[in-house]
């Protein structure tokens, strides 16, 4: 790893480096994208894919594929006609486009699909793609309901498909370094994890502008409603679908899922939280949405507790903190810091001052006799701290896709398969269940259901 980066990038590190000491040297991590394909890919091994869903996220994913070697986009699908051109612009080529995703699945030249549709249609498209023999990169959250998630896992296993769920942080070089530090034992016992992702813009609250050509002629509204209650055409629901329970999972499905996936990856956890408690509300964005603009959830895991928050009313960025008996690990946006705790033996320095001086002196003399000073006293927390950053322009989405497409080619495991993705999605469902029911949400593993505690 190197440490050459711009002054602007250095300033962005800010709070992360300060947390570990002002004089702390920051190491810039090297991208791992090329490691996914160490040799040029032969034309016969090129993976041909199509994107089902080419809205905001779909186009982001298509743009990210341009950096992945050995793949070719051969088609795109969306219910909104103008997104067909947006997809072609994103992938920088003229590809066949359609409103009907089944036309994509019927094509023999499509090896894999990216699914970037609304949450409520993930299961339908996913199951059809697996049945058609396509490998699947499915956007997060994997499922819209608990039942959907387990049906999707079964579909992947039944059809022996490679599946990657799209919480890209688990492929980030920053999270890989965090996992390395966590696994080293430097943190000691970690019993508390805190994370948040806060935004303060209309776009961050999903209040997207409605395109001027949006109409029932340019949008297949009936297809959009498949799997949801029938209602009259409403472009707000089509373009701001994350706000509504019929189609999305709100802040839990949009942002909690990234935090949960990152925590699971770093800690090596591949299970569901035992229970969750939520609070929050709609404080600012009173526009008819059904999900809160502030939600906080407390999760019980077997070996630690997790506190998550998403707030659409203040810009706080992205944060995960791991608090251990021997050290603290902080991920803040694109930086990582580790700071050890000073765990050297220390005599009691508080309660003994309520003792008579004779007893206090007796205690201190005995303590120093039993704890002689080490030969060297060179322990300095700042000097033993570590700080890392990603290089300017780094894109973990491309790394995540490279992991997927390489697995499609090699048939080796991905970093975030359907079981991992399902567990993370259930964490979102636990949060929303607890909030909606004003009750403790308990995971009943025997029945694969969420029940009231």
């Amino acid at each position: 790893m190197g440490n050459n980066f711009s002054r602007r990038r250095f300033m962005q590190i800010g709070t992360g480096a300060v947390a570990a000491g002002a004089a702390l040297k920051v190491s810039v991590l090297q991208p791992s994208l090329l490691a996914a394909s160490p040799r040029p890919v032969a034309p016969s091994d090129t993976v041909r894919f199509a994107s089902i869903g080419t809205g905001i996220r779909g186009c982001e994913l298509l743009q990210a594929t341009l950096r992945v070697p050995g793949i070719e986009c051969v088609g795109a699908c969306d219910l909104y006609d103008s997104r067909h051109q947006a997809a072609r612009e994103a992938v920088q080529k003229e590809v066949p486009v359609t409103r009907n995703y089944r036309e994509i699945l019927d094509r023999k030249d499509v090896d894999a699909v990216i699914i970037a549709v609304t949450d409520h249609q993930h299961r339908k498209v996913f199951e059809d793609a697996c049945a058609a023999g396509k490998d699947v990169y499915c956007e997060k959250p994997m499922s819209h309901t608990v039942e959907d998630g387990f049906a999707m896992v079964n579909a992947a296993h039944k059809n022996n498909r490679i599946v990657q769920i799209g919480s890209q942080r688990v492929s980030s070089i920053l999270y890989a370094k965090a996992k390395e530090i966590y696994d080293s034992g430097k943190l000691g016992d970690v019993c508390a994890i805190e994370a948040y992702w806060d935004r303060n813009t209309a776009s961050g609250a999903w209040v997207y502008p409605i395109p001027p050509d949006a109409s029932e002629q340019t949008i297949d509204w009936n297809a959009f409603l498949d799997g949801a209650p029938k209602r009259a055409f409403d472009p707000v629901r089509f373009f701001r679908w994350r706000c509504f329970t019929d189609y999305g999972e709100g802040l839990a499905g949009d942002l909690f899922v990234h935090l949960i996936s990152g925590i699971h990856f770093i800690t090596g956890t591949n299970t569901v939280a035992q229970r969750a408690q939520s609070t929050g509300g709609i404080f600012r964005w009173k526009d008819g949405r059904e999900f809160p603009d502030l939600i906080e959830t407390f999760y019980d895991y077997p070996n630690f507790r997790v506190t998550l928050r998403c707030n659409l009313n203040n810009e706080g960025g992205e944060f995960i903190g791991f608090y251990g008996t021997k050290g603290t690990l902080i991920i803040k946006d694109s930086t990582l810091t580790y700071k050890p705790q000073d765990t050297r033996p220390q005599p009691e320095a508080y309660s003994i001052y309520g003792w008579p001086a004779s007893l206090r002196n007796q205690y201190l003399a005995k303590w120093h006799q039993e704890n002689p000073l080490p030969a060297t006293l060179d322990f300095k927390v700042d000097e033993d701290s570590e700080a890392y950053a990603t290089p300017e322009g780094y894109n973990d989405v491309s790394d995540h896709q490279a992991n997927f497409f390489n697995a499609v080619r090699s048939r080796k495991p991905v970093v975030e398969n359907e079981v991992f993705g399902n567990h993370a999605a259930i964490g979102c469902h636990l949060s929303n269940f607890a909030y909606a029911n004003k009750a403790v949400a308990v995971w009943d593993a025997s029945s694969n259901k969420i029940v009231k505690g």
Side-chain angles (χ1 to χ4, degrees):
M1 64 187 67
N3 60 358
N4 293 321
F5 51 104
S6 69
R7 180 179 182 277
R8 174 175 170 271
R9 185 71 184 85
F10 178 81
M11 295 301 292
Q12 289 174 339
I13 292 172
T15 56
V18 170
L24 185 59
K25 179 181 178 182
V26 179
S27 298
V28 177
L29 301 168
Q30 291 302 309
S32 59
L33 177 63
L34 294 180
S37 182
R39 293 180 298 276
V41 177
S44 59
D45 287 335
T46 297
V47 176
R48 292 170 175 81
F49 74 95
S51 182
I52 300 174
T54 61
I56 304 167
R57 188 58 177 167
C59 284
E60 285 181 337
L61 294 174
L62 285 175
Q63 289 166 355
T65 64
L66 298 177
R67 299 181 59 196
V68 181
I71 66 174
E72 179 186 1
C73 181
V74 296
C77 170
D78 200 274
L79 300 179
Y80 171 38
D81 293 344
S82 289
R83 288 180 178 163
H84 296 166
Q85 181 58 28
R88 288 166 166 161
E89 292 172 2
V91 81
Q92 298 178 16
K93 62 181 292 190
E94 290 294 315
V95 295
V97 294
T98 178
R99 284 184 174 185
N100 184 356
Y101 75 88
R102 290 181 177 85
E103 293 179 8
I104 295 287
L105 300 183
D106 288 341
R107 290 176 51 178
K108 302 302 182 184
D109 64 332
V110 174
D111 304 309
V113 293
I114 293 173
I115 298 177
V117 299
T118 52
D119 298 346
H120 83 292
Q121 295 192 344
H122 277 190
R123 174 180 175 177
K124 174 186 69 174
V125 180
F126 185 102
E127 288 182 325
D128 287 349
C130 289
K134 313 303 182 186
D135 294 321
V136 175
Y137 182 108
C138 181
E139 255 307 297
K140 56 75 192 169
M142 176 172 154
S143 61
H144 189 231
T145 67
V146 170
E147 295 76 15
D148 284 356
F150 284 98
M152 294 165 76
V153 170
N154 290 337
H157 292 176
K158 176 183 177 181
N159 295 282
N160 194 29
R161 303 326 307 159
I162 295 291
V163 172
Q164 177 98 299
I165 306 304
S167 290
Q168 67 273 6
R169 296 293 185 270
V170 303
S171 290
S172 166
I173 54 176
L174 200 69
Y175 279 62
K177 175 56 70 173
K179 180 171 178 58
E180 177 186 317
I181 293 173
Y182 189 98
D183 290 346
S184 73
K186 289 181 179 180
L187 295 177
D189 296 326
V190 176
C191 57
I193 302 172
E194 177 186 14
Y196 62 77
W197 198 333
D198 296 343
R199 307 192 292 209
N200 192 20
T201 65
S203 180
W206 318 307
V207 185
Y208 306 130
I210 307 300
D213 70 341
S215 70
E216 290 186 84
Q217 287 68 50
T218 59
I219 295 172
D220 190 338
W221 178 247
N222 288 330
F224 173 78
L225 291 180
D226 189 12
K230 300 300 180 183
R231 62 176 63 245
F233 176 71
D234 185 350
V236 169
R237 284 181 169 260
F238 185 85
F239 291 100
R240 303 174 186 172
W241 57 267
R242 290 192 187 280
C243 296
F244 304 100
T245 58
D246 286 343
Y247 327 112
E249 287 294 290
L251 278 171
D254 192 20
L255 300 180
F256 269 16
V257 67
H258 284 305
L259 302 174
I260 293 171
S261 296
I263 290 168
H264 283 190
F265 172 74
I266 292 168
T267 61
T269 299
N270 195 0
T271 187
V272 180
Q274 297 165 321
R275 64 178 195 162
Q277 303 171 69
S278 295
T279 187
I282 302 175
F283 295 94
R284 175 186 180 187
W285 301 99
K286 300 178 182 181
D287 52 6
R289 69 182 57 214
E290 297 163 349
F291 285 109
D293 59 23
L294 167 66
I295 187 166
E296 298 178 271
T297 301
F298 186 82
Y299 292 94
D300 290 0
Y301 283 86
N303 298 318
F304 49 76
R305 300 295 179 263
V306 174
T307 304
L308 299 188
R309 181 189 78 227
C310 282
N311 180 17
L312 297 180
N313 309 306
N314 179 269
E315 176 58 54
E318 182 181 355
F319 173 96
I320 304 180
F322 301 84
Y323 304 95
T325 55
K326 295 181 180 179
T328 303
L329 181 67
I330 300 292
I331 298 174
K332 180 66 174 76
D333 299 324
S334 57
T335 64
L336 164 67
T337 56
Y338 162 74
K339 182 176 181 179
Q341 299 268 292
D342 188 349
T343 57
R344 292 171 298 173
Q346 299 288 341
E348 169 63 22
Y350 179 67
S351 65
I352 59 174
Y353 286 91
W355 298 3
S358 60
L359 293 180
R360 180 168 62 249
N361 293 336
Q362 180 181 340
Y363 161 79
L364 290 172
K366 182 180 180 182
W367 189 93
H368 286 294
Q369 182 180 10
E370 294 175 348
N371 297 274
L373 294 175
T376 60
L377 292 174
D378 57 359
F379 178 87
K380 293 182 179 179
V381 170
D382 285 351
E383 291 184 2
D384 289 328
S385 297
E386 303 171 34
Y388 303 91
T390 56
E392 192 154 13
Y394 172 71
N395 186 346
D396 53 13
V397 178
S398 293
D399 270 348
H400 202 47
Q401 290 186 330
N403 180 280
F404 167 67
F405 286 113
N406 193 51
V408 170
R409 188 178 296 109
S410 68
R411 313 313 292 177
K412 294 180 179 178
V414 296
V415 68
E416 187 181 11
N417 67 9
E418 63 281 356
V419 174
F420 186 109
N422 187 41
H423 288 162
I426 293 171
C428 304
H429 304 323
L430 282 166
S431 173
N432 284 334
F433 182 99
Y435 174 81
N437 290 278
K438 296 182 172 61
V440 176
V442 176
W443 178 243
D444 183 353
S446 63
S447 63
N448 288 336
K449 291 182 178 180
I450 300 174
V451 298
K452 290 183 180 180

